Amino acid sequence: MDVSYLRNTRSPFRPLLHYPLLSDSRVSISFSKKSKNVNSYSVCRKMCLASNSDTMVAGKVNKERKSSGISGSKNDEEYGDLKSWMHRNGLLSCKVVLKERSSHDSNHRPIHYVAASEDLQEGDVAFSVPNSLVVTLERVLGNETIAELLTTNKLSELAELDRQRGRGQLAVESPLLWSETELNYLTGSPTKAEVLERAEGIKREYNELDTVWFMAGSLFQQYPYDIPTEAFPFEIFKQAFVAVQSCVVHLQKVSLARRFALVPLGPPLLSYRSNCKAMLTSVDGAVQLVVDRPYTTGDPIVVWCGPQPNSKLLINYGFVDEDNSYDRMVIEAALNTEDPQYQDKRMAAQRNGKLSVQFFHVYVGKERESVLDMLPYLRLGYVSDPSDMQSVLSSQGPICPVSPCMERAVLDQLAGYFETRLAGYPTTLVEDEALLADCSLNPKRRVATQLVRLEKKILNACLQGTVDLINQLPDHSVSPCPAPYAPSLK
């Protein structure tokens, strides 16, 4: 996403947007309705709103620009490269170089990334950035106590921070910034509904900005801008917020005031892989990256993006990882509340570590195991005879098959569910493969197709596993039992 035009607005995001780290970001944020974790969404908002140019590295950059006669409206290339700027400001060690490759987006902007400037071995420090070049909430506010207070409060319950954040390898914007037509590329995928829900959450946050502004006026007494919603429209807020949040790094083993950081050479310049274990870490007086594999000169440096499924990688970073061992889909199963034996079934479910509304995670490569994990819960929902229910309550462990007709009914429902999910996609796997073979396919359509293709593979594997279990039934002539209170599947 090109955020350079925001540098000339009166938006309160302007100070952060002068930070070199934000020159090429294309990712977004992750939400949950209620998070018990530190609220990074609020932290990001406060880093944007509470900052002023005298308390941030961005301010120093601005002063350098002014003293050298370079105005803030000029392109970053005119100001000089990021690495040189960092060296002038105390970069401790650096074995990487900034490179660029062509982009296929509509503006043909080059993609900048961090690559090895020399051969590296596993365990080598790729770069070490002094804390003086790292922006944290403590630096923004100039007070650790206030920073920790703002980090832990609950002004917003919408967000959770994934361990690492970055941007797509294809320079694709987060679906949070896609048009309605582009979001239709995700038809059939649960990711589409998640994107819309998160967009509504951002809107609610925007509507709360003025309240926060007035409640925390003392924090903004040196702030030169107007009331937030009067100073900039929602679209600018959303784009700027996505740009800032895409660069936030979650540092471990530091105080809350320094946990969320903007690190030069970090996101979005680093490449991300799910099978990598290298992470940005805080050491004495610096943030460094220790590589987990050997590199030859010119190789892109990769870091771990956290144990995230491809749906979150797309929403958070704008890319999909074909080799993501953490990829998964979620199936929601619920006991029927109209069932006369609902309370007994709820008790039996809780005794086996399940809830009346249970979310099952189906991991790639473990689809059969996931189906087997769901069966005891579904069997519980099919129990109708009170004597059978008493046997369930008096037994230990998960529910075994009660009868051949019930087992057939459970498996039929599960197979029908997977077939319905697959029918909800407008394209088949074969059509997806044909689309991906087209070199001219636009990047957003490509990553969306990659995502739905991988989802369909998981669902197909689940369906095949269920069909295999049906074929293993001893008597195929048995008709499914009626189920007036069958559990629901979503």
Side-chain angles (χ1 to χ4, degrees), residues 50 68 79 443 453 457:
S68 61
Y79 176 56
R453 170 178 166 270
K457 284 189 171 184

Side-chain angles (χ1 to χ4, degrees), residues 104-106 170-175 177-179 182-183 185-186 314 318 441-450:
H104 297 290
D105 70 2
S106 59
L170 297 177
V172 176
E173 295 174 339
S174 163
L177 302 177
W178 291 9
S179 68
E182 291 166 340
L183 279 178
Y185 298 153
L186 296 172
L314 178 59
L441 189 66
N442 85 67
K444 292 177 183 177
R445 182 67 183 273
R446 181 173 296 278
V447 293
T449 302
Q450 287 176 323

Side-chain angles (χ1 to χ4, degrees), residues 26 225 438 441 470:
R26 292 180 174 87
Y225 304 112
D438 181 3
L441 189 66
I470 292 175

Side-chain angles (χ1 to χ4, degrees), residues 104-317:
H104 297 290
D105 70 2
S106 59
N107 294 317
H108 302 286
R109 294 180 297 245
I111 304 171
H112 297 89
Y113 63 98
V114 171
S117 60
E118 59 186 79
D119 292 348
L120 298 175
Q121 300 301 318
E122 180 181 353
D124 284 351
V125 177
F127 60 81
S128 182
V129 179
N131 286 342
S132 61
L133 299 184
V134 177
V135 177
T136 64
L137 199 59
E138 178 184 18
R139 291 198 64 201
V140 168
L141 297 176
N143 185 298
E144 181 176 3
T145 302
I146 295 178
E148 292 201 6
L149 175 64
L150 292 178
T151 303
T152 55
N153 78 13
K154 297 299 178 183
L155 287 176
S156 164
E157 292 291 345
L158 291 172
E160 62 181 19
L161 180 67
D162 296 307
R163 296 287 179 176
Q164 297 288 328
R165 299 194 179 277
R167 58 130 173 127
Q169 318 303 319
L170 297 177
V172 176
E173 295 174 339
S174 163
L176 287 167
L177 302 177
W178 291 9
S179 68
E180 183 177 351
T181 299
E182 291 166 340
L183 279 178
N184 286 335
Y185 298 153
L186 296 172
T187 296
S189 171
T191 306
K192 181 178 180 180
E194 186 177 353
V195 170
L196 296 174
E197 181 180 356
R198 293 185 181 188
E200 285 299 315
I202 296 176
K203 181 66 174 178
R204 287 193 293 271
E205 288 289 334
Y206 175 76
N207 292 335
E208 293 176 5
L209 287 179
D210 290 353
T211 300
V212 176
W213 182 273
F214 289 117
M215 290 176 62
S218 61
L219 293 177
F220 306 107
Q221 57 185 345
Q222 297 179 344
Y223 197 71
Y225 304 112
D226 298 330
I227 295 172
T229 58
E230 294 181 4
F232 55 93
F234 171 66
E235 284 304 315
I236 287 182
F237 170 80
K238 182 169 70 170
Q239 292 183 36
F241 186 87
V242 167
V244 172
Q245 182 68 55
S246 70
C247 302
V248 171
V249 173
H250 187 189
L251 298 176
Q252 303 295 310
K253 299 179 181 180
V254 297
S255 67
L256 288 176
R258 296 190 293 117
R259 184 167 298 176
F260 303 98
L262 301 177
V263 184
L265 298 180
L269 297 173
L270 290 169
S271 299
Y272 287 81
R273 286 188 187 169
S274 300
N275 61 1
C276 177
K277 294 302 179 185
M279 298 177 64
L280 288 166
T281 56
S282 179
V283 295
D284 291 340
V287 173
Q288 69 178 20
L289 176 64
V290 177
V291 298
D292 69 336
R293 62 193 68 191
Y295 291 91
T296 58
T297 303
D299 287 346
I301 303 295
V302 297
V303 294
W304 190 41
C305 53
Q308 302 180 70
N310 278 320
S311 58
K312 290 191 181 297
L313 292 182
L314 178 59
I315 295 174
N316 295 340
Y317 314 143

Side-chain angles (χ1 to χ4, degrees), residues 420-446:
T420 300
R421 286 282 298 267
L422 286 165
Y425 294 95
T427 58
T428 65
L429 273 173
V430 174
E431 291 169 332
D432 292 341
E433 297 287 355
L435 281 171
L436 293 174
D438 181 3
C439 296
S440 64
L441 189 66
N442 85 67
K444 292 177 183 177
R445 182 67 183 273
R446 181 173 296 278

Side-chain angles (χ1 to χ4, degrees), residues 88-112:
R88 292 197 303 272
N89 287 274
L91 181 63
L92 298 179
S93 64
C94 189
K95 299 178 181 179
V96 299
V97 64
L98 284 178
K99 302 186 73 173
E100 68 177 48
R101 59 177 176 268
S102 60
S103 169
H104 297 290
D105 70 2
S106 59
N107 294 317
H108 302 286
R109 294 180 297 245
I111 304 171
H112 297 89

